[in-house]
Amino acid sequence: MRLAFVWCCSVALLGGVGTANAQDWTKSKWGPNDEIGAANYMTPELVVKAAGLVKTGKTYPLGIPVDSTTPAYPPRAFKITVVQPGQAGSPGLGPSKTTYNDDLIDGWVGVGSQLDGLGHIGVEHVYYNGNKLLEFADPSGLKKLGVEKIPPMVTRGVLLDMAAHYGTDVVKEGTAFNTKEIEEVAKKQGVEIRQGDVVIFHTGWLSLIGKDDKRFGAGEPGLGVEGAKYLTGKGVVAIGADTWGVEAVPFETKNIFEVHQILLPMNGTYILENMNTAELAKDKAYEFMFVLGQPRFKGAVQSMINPVAIR
């Protein structure tokens, strides 16, 4: 599926986002060797508090199924092949005739529900904690900031139902969620955004997959620049949405994927894309235990994920 995505893997700067303050954001407050960014906010105490949110035991898979038709930015694609190695012409292995299937994946990691790691986005080839592209990026895998470094995410999750806020099933593309909108929805839902949280927006955008893939890939509602600064200022661990890029497209300014830059390199805040939020919104599950143990592909930039929300 070849869609007109303007994707973030080849970010270009228009307007020089943050370059004047490069000396500020390139130094992590967790020290020069830090590679996990906002994951440092998660503490054993927060895990215990998050576990206390489980009242019904209901679980919600936040990942979407992925196949060869899943919309993705070209040349990103995904294909699975099922094989029965060494079994052609054989009734099976041994006296009990054991047979089995194995599978091969031919695809890009950035397809479907995904976690953007800290090695994904930079500003003029400088990434989180001042790591320079030529010093840590290698075709065989990142030497720093790989997704295998990210600890399990077990913390409080907060859903902000933007579709309900705007009174629509699908929020219009280009709609930016900034401080005013975020605070209004949080107040309406009776939730407070706290340090260590994972914040996820529900917009209804994911419902377009398979119905209007062209519109799905051409734009999206999402987090605005001011909203990104507001949430990172709160100390959240990750920000997600039921959209392919989390931030508002068309962009608010001429800057390209400025929200990605604010979140990943400047603050070490993770991005969760294509989150399946429909059931959470339906149940008005605005607060829950969020659990994610991503595949630990060594040196990887991203990871396909299926986080779980538990109430």
Side-chain angles (χ1 to χ4, degrees):
M1 183 68 64
R2 291 184 174 271
L3 299 178
F5 280 85
V6 184
W7 193 249
C8 45
C9 53
S10 57
V11 171
L13 282 178
L14 292 177
V17 173
T19 52
N21 296 315
Q23 70 276 11
D24 300 325
W25 68 263
T26 59
K27 296 181 180 179
S28 170
K29 62 183 176 182
W30 292 289
N33 297 318
D34 182 63
E35 296 185 55
I36 66 170
N40 283 289
Y41 288 126
M42 291 185 296
T43 63
E45 292 76 18
L46 286 184
V47 174
V48 172
K49 288 182 179 179
L53 297 172
V54 178
K55 306 298 182 183
T56 69
K58 185 171 182 177
T59 60
Y60 301 79
L62 301 183
I64 64 172
V66 176
D67 63 16
S68 61
T69 68
T70 302
Y73 174 69
R76 293 183 186 179
F78 178 90
K79 181 178 72 172
I80 189 168
T81 302
V82 176
V83 296
Q84 299 79 34
Q87 299 171 69
S90 166
L93 306 178
S96 64
K97 297 179 175 59
T98 300
T99 58
Y100 66 97
N101 295 315
D102 267 356
D103 38 21
L104 303 170
I105 289 178
D106 177 14
W108 296 63
V109 179
V111 177
S113 302
Q114 60 200 266
L115 162 71
D116 282 353
L118 302 186
H120 183 43
I121 293 293
V123 179
E124 291 191 89
H125 304 296
V126 179
Y127 292 73
Y128 175 73
N129 212 2
N131 287 288
K132 297 177 181 179
L133 180 72
L134 295 180
E135 296 174 357
F136 83 102
D138 186 271
S140 63
L142 301 181
K143 298 175 183 176
K144 290 184 176 181
L145 308 180
V147 297
E148 81 280 3
K149 304 290 181 63
I150 306 170
M153 290 188 186
V154 182
T155 190
R156 175 177 178 258
V158 172
L159 180 79
L160 297 179
D161 191 343
M162 308 310 293
H165 175 67
Y166 290 105
T168 183
D169 291 333
V170 179
V171 180
K172 184 179 179 181
E173 47 267 71
T175 304
F177 314 144
N178 285 306
T179 303
K180 178 178 180 292
E181 292 78 19
I182 293 170
E183 289 186 340
E184 285 178 353
V185 175
K187 182 178 180 180
K188 187 184 302 182
Q189 295 179 178
V191 295
E192 177 188 2
I193 298 171
R194 305 168 188 158
Q195 181 173 295
D197 285 350
V198 169
V199 177
I200 303 176
F201 295 98
H202 172 71
T203 71
W205 201 252
L206 206 64
S207 67
L208 296 176
I209 291 183
K211 297 178 182 177
D212 193 344
D213 287 349
K214 183 177 181 180
R215 182 186 176 193
F216 176 82
E220 62 180 12
L223 188 60
V225 170
E226 184 200 18
K229 294 176 181 178
Y230 172 76
L231 290 178
T232 55
K234 289 275 189 179
V236 302
V237 172
I239 301 171
D242 58 343
T243 61
W244 53 265
V246 174
E247 65 183 281
V249 180
F251 305 112
E252 296 168 288
T253 70
K254 292 183 178 181
N255 289 327
I256 307 298
F257 286 102
E258 185 177 359
V259 167
H260 271 65
Q261 293 178 319
I262 293 168
L263 299 185
L264 292 168
M266 295 182 180
N267 289 283
T269 305
Y270 297 92
I271 296 176
L272 310 171
E273 297 168 338
N274 290 323
M275 295 290 96
N276 182 11
T277 56
E279 286 300 309
L280 285 173
K282 179 182 176 182
D283 287 354
K284 297 184 179 180
Y286 303 137
E287 185 182 34
F288 47 86
M289 182 181 185
F290 177 91
V291 180
L292 170 62
Q294 80 288 347
R296 301 180 71 188
F297 302 133
K298 190 171 183 179
V301 171
Q302 301 159 306
S303 198
M304 282 187 179
I305 58 173
N306 179 32
V308 179
I310 311 172
R311 294 178 68 206

